[in-house]
Amino acid sequence: MPERKKTTDATVEKIGLHNLSPAIGSHRDRKRLGRGPGSGTGKTSGKGHKGSKARSGHHGHGGGKPQFEGGQMPITRRLPKRGFTNPFRVESQVVRLADLERISGDVTPESLQAAGLIDGAASKFKVLANGALKKAVKVKGIRLSAGAREKIVAAGGSVEE
């Protein structure tokens, strides 16, 4: 068995950006289509003569044209169009009534944000009557549902607009 050479730290160079190179044969030039008869991919650019496979947007990488269903009526045209999406709809974050007990002192948009119950003090949010309230809380400048307002007052708290 041949004897292996022992390498020392002085002869081994560390890998770095200055001495990296691709493996032999790992890089191949891209296929340059439509560059004359001498290139081998001139004229029809390797697509043959006519037919759907010779057209742009068909076959090749990524398959056929999106939503093309072989000539039958596409599903987007078969299904009825119904409904309406209001472009002016405003989504509100929901705050549970039971979560207000985690806040010490007055319940304000700033204290809700500090407790992590809402994303930002300026964002839209509303307190809903989910859960029960065991302690009296003072709520200032927050939108409430009618049920939440009743539960807060019933627990001995107060609501200021």
Short mmCIF file of all heavy atoms in Angstrom, two decimals, residues 55-89:
data_model
loop_
_atom_site.label_atom_id
_atom_site.label_comp_id
_atom_site.label_asym_id
_atom_site.label_seq_id
_atom_site.Cartn_x
_atom_site.Cartn_y
_atom_site.Cartn_z
N ARG A 55 -44.75 27.73 -31.42
CA ARG A 55 -45.26 29.06 -31.09
C ARG A 55 -44.73 29.51 -29.73
O ARG A 55 -44.44 28.69 -28.85
CB ARG A 55 -46.78 29.07 -31.05
CG ARG A 55 -47.45 28.44 -32.24
CD ARG A 55 -47.19 29.24 -33.51
NE ARG A 55 -47.97 28.69 -34.62
CZ ARG A 55 -47.55 28.64 -35.86
NH1 ARG A 55 -46.33 29.07 -36.16
NH2 ARG A 55 -48.31 28.16 -36.81
N SER A 56 -44.71 30.81 -29.54
CA SER A 56 -44.28 31.34 -28.25
C SER A 56 -45.37 31.12 -27.22
O SER A 56 -46.56 31.15 -27.55
CB SER A 56 -43.96 32.83 -28.36
OG SER A 56 -45.13 33.55 -28.66
N GLY A 57 -44.98 30.87 -26.00
CA GLY A 57 -45.94 30.70 -24.92
C GLY A 57 -46.45 29.29 -24.78
O GLY A 57 -47.24 29.02 -23.89
N HIS A 58 -46.05 28.36 -25.65
CA HIS A 58 -46.52 26.98 -25.54
C HIS A 58 -45.35 26.05 -25.30
O HIS A 58 -44.29 26.21 -25.88
CB HIS A 58 -47.24 26.56 -26.83
CG HIS A 58 -48.70 26.81 -26.77
ND1 HIS A 58 -49.56 26.00 -26.09
CD2 HIS A 58 -49.46 27.81 -27.27
CE1 HIS A 58 -50.78 26.45 -26.20
NE2 HIS A 58 -50.75 27.57 -26.91
N HIS A 59 -45.57 25.06 -24.46
CA HIS A 59 -44.58 24.03 -24.14
C HIS A 59 -43.29 24.65 -23.62
O HIS A 59 -43.32 25.77 -23.12
CB HIS A 59 -44.36 23.12 -25.36
CG HIS A 59 -45.60 22.40 -25.75
ND1 HIS A 59 -46.04 21.29 -25.08
CD2 HIS A 59 -46.51 22.66 -26.70
CE1 HIS A 59 -47.17 20.88 -25.63
NE2 HIS A 59 -47.49 21.70 -26.61
N GLY A 60 -42.23 23.95 -23.70
CA GLY A 60 -40.98 24.48 -23.17
C GLY A 60 -41.05 24.59 -21.66
O GLY A 60 -41.83 23.90 -21.00
N HIS A 61 -40.25 25.45 -21.12
CA HIS A 61 -40.19 25.62 -19.66
C HIS A 61 -41.49 26.21 -19.15
O HIS A 61 -41.98 27.21 -19.68
CB HIS A 61 -39.02 26.52 -19.27
CG HIS A 61 -37.70 25.98 -19.72
ND1 HIS A 61 -37.20 24.80 -19.23
CD2 HIS A 61 -36.80 26.43 -20.60
CE1 HIS A 61 -36.04 24.56 -19.79
NE2 HIS A 61 -35.77 25.53 -20.63
N GLY A 62 -42.08 25.60 -18.14
CA GLY A 62 -43.30 26.11 -17.53
C GLY A 62 -44.57 25.60 -18.16
O GLY A 62 -45.66 25.98 -17.77
N GLY A 63 -44.48 24.71 -19.18
CA GLY A 63 -45.68 24.11 -19.76
C GLY A 63 -46.39 25.05 -20.72
O GLY A 63 -45.77 25.91 -21.34
N GLY A 64 -47.70 24.86 -20.87
CA GLY A 64 -48.48 25.62 -21.84
C GLY A 64 -48.88 26.99 -21.31
O GLY A 64 -48.36 27.48 -20.32
N LYS A 65 -49.83 27.59 -22.03
CA LYS A 65 -50.30 28.91 -21.62
C LYS A 65 -51.13 28.77 -20.35
O LYS A 65 -51.90 27.81 -20.22
CB LYS A 65 -51.14 29.54 -22.73
CG LYS A 65 -50.31 29.98 -23.92
CD LYS A 65 -51.12 30.78 -24.90
CE LYS A 65 -50.25 31.29 -26.03
NZ LYS A 65 -51.00 31.98 -27.06
N PRO A 66 -51.00 29.70 -19.43
CA PRO A 66 -51.77 29.59 -18.20
C PRO A 66 -53.27 29.66 -18.48
O PRO A 66 -53.70 30.39 -19.36
CB PRO A 66 -51.32 30.78 -17.35
CG PRO A 66 -50.40 31.56 -18.18
CD PRO A 66 -50.13 30.83 -19.45
N GLN A 67 -54.06 28.89 -17.75
CA GLN A 67 -55.51 28.80 -17.85
C GLN A 67 -55.99 28.16 -19.15
O GLN A 67 -57.19 28.11 -19.40
CB GLN A 67 -56.22 30.17 -17.68
CG GLN A 67 -56.13 30.73 -16.29
CD GLN A 67 -54.96 31.64 -16.12
OE1 GLN A 67 -54.60 32.36 -17.03
NE2 GLN A 67 -54.35 31.62 -14.96
N PHE A 68 -55.10 27.68 -20.05
CA PHE A 68 -55.56 27.03 -21.28
C PHE A 68 -55.96 25.60 -20.94
O PHE A 68 -55.20 24.86 -20.32
CB PHE A 68 -54.47 27.05 -22.34
CG PHE A 68 -54.93 26.45 -23.65
CD1 PHE A 68 -55.87 27.11 -24.42
CD2 PHE A 68 -54.43 25.25 -24.10
CE1 PHE A 68 -56.31 26.58 -25.62
CE2 PHE A 68 -54.86 24.71 -25.29
CZ PHE A 68 -55.80 25.37 -26.06
N GLU A 69 -57.17 25.22 -21.33
CA GLU A 69 -57.72 23.92 -20.95
C GLU A 69 -57.99 23.04 -22.17
O GLU A 69 -58.99 22.33 -22.23
CB GLU A 69 -59.01 24.11 -20.14
CG GLU A 69 -58.78 24.86 -18.85
CD GLU A 69 -60.05 25.05 -18.05
OE1 GLU A 69 -61.02 24.31 -18.26
OE2 GLU A 69 -60.06 25.95 -17.20
N GLY A 70 -57.11 23.12 -23.17
CA GLY A 70 -57.24 22.24 -24.32
C GLY A 70 -58.38 22.60 -25.23
O GLY A 70 -58.85 21.76 -25.99
N GLY A 71 -58.87 23.79 -25.22
CA GLY A 71 -59.93 24.23 -26.13
C GLY A 71 -61.31 24.23 -25.52
O GLY A 71 -62.22 24.84 -26.06
N GLN A 72 -61.49 23.52 -24.38
CA GLN A 72 -62.81 23.56 -23.76
C GLN A 72 -63.00 24.91 -23.08
O GLN A 72 -62.06 25.66 -22.89
CB GLN A 72 -62.97 22.43 -22.75
CG GLN A 72 -62.22 22.63 -21.45
CD GLN A 72 -62.44 21.50 -20.47
OE1 GLN A 72 -62.97 20.47 -20.82
NE2 GLN A 72 -62.02 21.70 -19.24
N MET A 73 -64.25 25.21 -22.74
CA MET A 73 -64.56 26.50 -22.13
C MET A 73 -63.86 26.58 -20.77
O MET A 73 -64.07 25.72 -19.91
CB MET A 73 -66.07 26.64 -21.94
CG MET A 73 -66.52 28.00 -21.46
SD MET A 73 -66.11 29.34 -22.56
CE MET A 73 -67.13 28.99 -23.97
N PRO A 74 -63.01 27.58 -20.54
CA PRO A 74 -62.25 27.66 -19.29
C PRO A 74 -63.17 27.80 -18.08
O PRO A 74 -64.28 28.35 -18.17
CB PRO A 74 -61.41 28.92 -19.46
CG PRO A 74 -61.40 29.19 -20.91
CD PRO A 74 -62.67 28.65 -21.47
N ILE A 75 -62.69 27.32 -16.94
CA ILE A 75 -63.51 27.34 -15.72
C ILE A 75 -63.85 28.75 -15.30
O ILE A 75 -64.92 29.01 -14.75
CB ILE A 75 -62.82 26.56 -14.58
CG1 ILE A 75 -63.81 26.28 -13.46
CG2 ILE A 75 -61.59 27.29 -14.09
CD1 ILE A 75 -63.37 25.23 -12.47
N THR A 76 -62.97 29.70 -15.60
CA THR A 76 -63.26 31.09 -15.23
C THR A 76 -64.42 31.66 -16.03
O THR A 76 -65.05 32.62 -15.61
CB THR A 76 -62.03 31.98 -15.45
OG1 THR A 76 -61.55 31.81 -16.78
CG2 THR A 76 -60.93 31.64 -14.48
N ARG A 77 -64.72 31.07 -17.18
CA ARG A 77 -65.87 31.50 -17.98
C ARG A 77 -67.09 30.63 -17.75
O ARG A 77 -68.21 31.07 -18.02
CB ARG A 77 -65.50 31.52 -19.46
CG ARG A 77 -64.46 32.60 -19.79
CD ARG A 77 -64.14 32.66 -21.25
NE ARG A 77 -65.32 33.00 -22.04
CZ ARG A 77 -65.39 32.87 -23.36
NH1 ARG A 77 -64.36 32.42 -24.04
NH2 ARG A 77 -66.49 33.19 -24.00
N ARG A 78 -66.89 29.40 -17.26
CA ARG A 78 -68.02 28.51 -16.99
C ARG A 78 -68.75 28.90 -15.71
O ARG A 78 -69.96 28.74 -15.60
CB ARG A 78 -67.54 27.06 -16.84
CG ARG A 78 -67.07 26.44 -18.12
CD ARG A 78 -67.02 24.92 -18.01
NE ARG A 78 -66.19 24.41 -16.95
CZ ARG A 78 -64.92 24.07 -17.07
NH1 ARG A 78 -64.31 24.22 -18.23
NH2 ARG A 78 -64.26 23.58 -16.05
N LEU A 79 -68.02 29.35 -14.72
CA LEU A 79 -68.62 29.64 -13.42
C LEU A 79 -69.32 31.00 -13.44
O LEU A 79 -68.82 31.94 -14.06
CB LEU A 79 -67.56 29.63 -12.32
CG LEU A 79 -66.91 28.28 -12.05
CD1 LEU A 79 -65.83 28.42 -11.01
CD2 LEU A 79 -67.94 27.26 -11.61
N PRO A 80 -70.46 31.13 -12.75
CA PRO A 80 -71.14 32.43 -12.73
C PRO A 80 -70.38 33.44 -11.88
O PRO A 80 -69.68 33.09 -10.95
CB PRO A 80 -72.49 32.09 -12.08
CG PRO A 80 -72.25 30.87 -11.28
CD PRO A 80 -71.18 30.11 -12.00
N LYS A 81 -70.52 34.68 -12.28
CA LYS A 81 -69.87 35.77 -11.53
C LYS A 81 -70.88 36.32 -10.54
O LYS A 81 -71.95 36.77 -10.94
CB LYS A 81 -69.41 36.89 -12.47
CG LYS A 81 -68.64 36.45 -13.70
CD LYS A 81 -67.36 35.73 -13.34
CE LYS A 81 -66.54 35.42 -14.57
NZ LYS A 81 -66.93 34.18 -15.24
N ARG A 82 -70.56 36.22 -9.25
CA ARG A 82 -71.49 36.70 -8.22
C ARG A 82 -70.72 37.44 -7.15
O ARG A 82 -69.54 37.22 -6.96
CB ARG A 82 -72.21 35.51 -7.57
CG ARG A 82 -73.24 34.86 -8.46
CD ARG A 82 -74.05 33.89 -7.67
NE ARG A 82 -74.52 34.52 -6.43
CZ ARG A 82 -75.77 34.59 -6.06
NH1 ARG A 82 -76.71 34.06 -6.80
NH2 ARG A 82 -76.12 35.15 -4.93
N GLY A 83 -71.46 38.25 -6.43
CA GLY A 83 -70.88 38.89 -5.25
C GLY A 83 -70.25 40.24 -5.56
O GLY A 83 -70.25 40.72 -6.68
N PHE A 84 -69.72 40.82 -4.52
CA PHE A 84 -69.17 42.17 -4.60
C PHE A 84 -68.14 42.33 -3.50
O PHE A 84 -68.35 41.86 -2.38
CB PHE A 84 -70.32 43.18 -4.41
CG PHE A 84 -69.87 44.60 -4.23
CD1 PHE A 84 -69.38 45.33 -5.30
CD2 PHE A 84 -69.93 45.20 -2.99
CE1 PHE A 84 -68.97 46.63 -5.13
CE2 PHE A 84 -69.52 46.51 -2.82
CZ PHE A 84 -69.04 47.22 -3.90
N THR A 85 -67.03 42.93 -3.80
CA THR A 85 -66.01 43.23 -2.80
C THR A 85 -65.96 44.74 -2.62
O THR A 85 -65.64 45.47 -3.58
CB THR A 85 -64.63 42.71 -3.24
OG1 THR A 85 -64.73 41.31 -3.47
CG2 THR A 85 -63.59 42.97 -2.16
N ASN A 86 -66.28 45.19 -1.43
CA ASN A 86 -66.30 46.63 -1.16
C ASN A 86 -64.87 47.14 -1.09
O ASN A 86 -64.10 46.74 -0.21
CB ASN A 86 -67.02 46.88 0.18
CG ASN A 86 -67.16 48.35 0.48
OD1 ASN A 86 -66.77 49.20 -0.32
ND2 ASN A 86 -67.71 48.66 1.63
N PRO A 87 -64.46 48.05 -1.99
CA PRO A 87 -63.08 48.55 -1.95
C PRO A 87 -62.81 49.47 -0.76
O PRO A 87 -61.66 49.74 -0.44
CB PRO A 87 -62.94 49.30 -3.28
CG PRO A 87 -64.32 49.68 -3.66
CD PRO A 87 -65.22 48.62 -3.11
N PHE A 88 -63.86 49.94 -0.10
CA PHE A 88 -63.69 50.88 1.01
C PHE A 88 -63.81 50.21 2.37
O PHE A 88 -63.87 50.88 3.40
CB PHE A 88 -64.71 52.02 0.90
CG PHE A 88 -64.65 52.73 -0.41
CD1 PHE A 88 -65.65 52.55 -1.35
CD2 PHE A 88 -63.58 53.54 -0.73
CE1 PHE A 88 -65.58 53.19 -2.58
CE2 PHE A 88 -63.50 54.18 -1.95
CZ PHE A 88 -64.50 54.00 -2.88
N ARG A 89 -63.88 48.87 2.41
CA ARG A 89 -64.01 48.14 3.67
C ARG A 89 -62.78 48.38 4.54
O ARG A 89 -61.65 48.38 4.06
CB ARG A 89 -64.15 46.65 3.38
CG ARG A 89 -64.23 45.81 4.63
CD ARG A 89 -64.17 44.33 4.29
NE ARG A 89 -63.97 43.58 5.50
CZ ARG A 89 -64.83 42.68 5.95
NH1 ARG A 89 -65.93 42.43 5.29
NH2 ARG A 89 -64.58 42.03 7.06
#
